[in-house]
Amino acid sequence: AILLHMTDGIIAFDKDGNIMIINPVAKELLNIENEKNFDQIFEKLDVEINKEAIMYLENWTSLEQKINIGEKNINIYFAPYKDENNLSSGVIAVVQDITEHVKLDNMRKEFVADVSHELKTPITSIIGYADTLQEGEYDRATQEKFLSVISSEGRRMADLVSDLLTLSRYDTNRVTGNITEFDLGELAKKCQEKLEIEIEKKHQEVECYVTADVPPIKADKNGIERVILNVLSNAVKYTPENGNIKIYVGFVYNDAYIKVIDNGIGIPKEDLGRVFERFYRVDKARSREMGGTGLGLSIAKEIIEQNKGSIDIKSEYGKGTEVVIRIPALKKEEEK
Ligand code: ADP
């Protein structure tokens, strides 16, 4: 029963490599049916494997073999087993599906590569401009131009590092957040005011509609404010001058929601599913130019999920984008 219901596959081979026991999971993971012994299995899998090294494993050793079967990554762990006289009498193979693990590991590697790349770009220009300034005599105007590049690239690095720190704090659940009761409509208006300068610069029209019956929500107010600011500033960033942005705050099925709709550049279909990924940007060069780190929406997702809410994005390329954030509202009896 144990073997039958385990999530790991188990195969026991005798000294000659014949299968003594195999559980259903092992058959399924390795995609095998009637194979009787070691050679048949690995022939079917088309994997070169050193049978001698495995069959004559020393008592205290073990061996691992990673193989790919279709889309799956499988790890087989071989260890010798002994009979009652302490003599080695065969090998046990534990078969595990490590697809998820491999995926996570690749994501981690990609993340490190992305971070290094994102930091390297500004560092290269800072060093470049600083060296140039040191080497030559430049007039005041040129010096100022170089210094302003150095300063803005430095600031970009600072933003990036600060976003990375935020992300890592949320990742490791180190943000306990100050959970308070507040009104989503008021917060939305406050965020709009905070972005007034950017909005005016682009001559955009931003309207905020709050339906009257939105109950208060109990959540990490600073976190939610950060998310709204990010979503709204994306709407401002990715909407051309004279564009329209609408904010709706309302209540549906026990959730308070905030919807930000813009009539900006939109997001192509093929990119839409990936905008919540770390460092994913539809147009890398342009987003960077606008001061984007590519981390905003991934941080937003972390924060919203920790507050038991959801964040979704809809968009039509060239037409506009709609982001909806939902957060569970307090039921009437929960209100003070
Ligand atoms: P960034 O810091 O680059 O803005 P985000 O994580 O906030 O990063 O957003 C990821 C990407 O999603 C952006 O680079 C942009 O391409 C796209 N995006 C987000 N919001 C909008 C929007 N309102 N309109 C068009 N594109 C958007």
Side-chain angles (χ1 to χ4, degrees), residues 84-103:
E84 54 277 11
N85 301 321
N86 224 4
L87 291 169
S88 165
S89 57
V91 168
I92 294 207
V94 179
V95 187
Q96 285 169 321
D97 185 347
I98 53 163
T99 315
E100 249 345 270
H101 180 86
V102 171
K103 224 193 260 165

Side-chain angles (χ1 to χ4, degrees), residues 16 32 50 75 83 85-86 94 99 102 135 152 188 190 196 212 226 242 248 264 289 292 323 325 329:
D16 303 316
I32 52 176
N50 186 346
N75 186 47
D83 60 16
N85 301 321
N86 224 4
V94 179
T99 315
V102 171
E135 279 157 17
S152 75
K190 183 174 153 201
E196 210 45 68
R226 186 186 171 112
N242 303 313
Y248 295 95
E289 215 173 90
V323 178
I325 299 161

